[in-house]
Amino acid sequence: MLRYVTTNPGKVREAERYLPDGSVERLDFDYTEIQADGLGPIAARGAREAYRHADAPVLVDDAGLFVEGLDGFPGPYSSYVEDTLGIERVHEIAADLDDRRAAFRCVLGYCDGEGFAASPDPVDRGDRDAAAAAGPDGEGDGGSDGTDAEPLPVKLFEGYVPGRIVAPRGDGGFGYDPIFEHDGETFAEMDTDRKNAVSHRGRALAKFAEWYADR
Ligand SMILES: O=c1[nH]c(=O)c2ncn([C@@H]3O[C@H](COP(=O)(O)OP(=O)(O)OP(=O)(O)O)[C@@H](O)[C@H]3O)c2[nH]1
């Protein structure tokens, strides 16, 4: 059984559509989110911590909203900004920008305590290099956390979706969904199937599900 590690049930509702019935359950574990410029190192470190906690295969999901006109802010700090400013304020700030383009990114980190055929020689690169280890398509072994006596390999999968920040519309989804518009609709206006088909998480999950089935 795969553990999808998150405190956010909305993420698991999306993930269940990609994985075989009964193959995944939510692990409500609040892993340490390190401060980092990118999502890869956060997901990699989280996956190692969650694997040690669960002693079972885990998938950690780190996601964020990157606003072009704010140089990618809030990015890895999206959760904190949602809790402090709130999404209405994020929209107000973006409304003053010339460039309201934005993207959602999601990085999934998988760890089962073993190595992977695609990355036979995971070396201790330290977390700063884990994003680079993810490679251009977001896949990689995630580097190490720099503190482990024996670094645990982590496999990373990234998904990305472009859009723009708009005034809140719709009541579906979660988080920033009401202010993120893609192809004329906000994510909160889409049903789960439609959001999954285009979303950052859906794209990362599709890559993961294909690799997981063949590994
Ligand atoms: O509108 C959204 N649609 C999405 O599809 C989505 N995915 C993530 N987020 C938001 O990005 C932040 C980082 O989240 P995050 O990866 O740190 O997760 P989280 O704090 O919600 O739970 P956990 O998985 O860490 O336990 C949080 O503010 C989430 O609400 C989304 N917002």
Side-chain angles (χ1 to χ4, degrees):
M1 175 74 80
L2 176 64
R3 268 68 168 182
Y4 203 96
V5 184
T6 181
T7 59
N8 184 336
K11 290 182 172 182
V12 188
R13 277 196 294 279
E14 291 185 16
E16 281 169 343
R17 311 273 176 132
Y18 278 86
L19 301 164
D21 276 354
S23 67
V24 62
E25 68 179 18
R26 180 162 82 102
L27 176 62
D28 187 351
F29 174 61
D30 203 5
Y31 59 87
T32 311
E33 289 201 12
I34 58 165
Q35 282 205 341
D37 294 340
L39 303 176
I42 301 171
R45 179 76 75 99
R48 292 190 183 94
E49 186 180 333
Y51 172 76
R52 291 209 171 86
H53 171 80
D55 198 20
V58 293
L59 196 59
V60 160
D61 169 327
D62 198 45
L65 178 69
F66 294 72
V67 181
E68 294 270 344
L70 297 174
D71 295 333
F73 185 82
Y77 308 104
S78 296
S79 190
Y80 178 74
V81 169
E82 183 188 341
D83 291 346
T84 50
L85 292 182
I87 68 165
E88 305 263 350
R89 290 284 306 284
V90 173
H91 161 252
E92 285 165 21
I93 293 166
D96 285 336
L97 300 171
D98 292 332
D99 187 356
R100 291 174 212 164
R101 286 175 302 156
F104 265 126
R105 291 177 189 277
C106 172
V107 174
L108 299 174
Y110 174 80
C111 182
D112 61 10
E114 292 171 22
F116 308 113
S119 48
D121 184 25
V123 291
D124 188 348
R125 281 180 286 258
D127 268 342
R128 242 173 306 160
D129 292 336
D137 62 358
E139 296 190 26
D141 62 26
S144 85
D145 63 16
T147 58
D148 295 335
E150 288 179 48
L152 292 170
V154 173
K155 182 98 175 145
L156 299 177
F157 303 85
E158 184 178 20
Y160 160 95
V161 59
R164 67 185 188 114
I165 303 299
V166 296
R169 296 197 320 260
D171 4 274
F174 63 90
Y176 294 91
D177 281 346
I179 63 165
F180 184 80
E181 185 187 75
H182 173 79
D183 223 3
E185 272 184 302
T186 68
F187 271 7
E189 291 175 315
M190 299 178 185
D191 62 27
T192 305
D193 283 342
R194 168 89 183 114
K195 180 182 170 186
N196 256 339
V198 295
S199 83
H200 51 310
R201 179 160 301 101
R203 288 171 185 183
L205 280 162
K207 290 181 191 174
F208 170 74
E210 189 183 344
W211 173 82
Y212 192 60
D214 288 350
R215 82 195 192 288

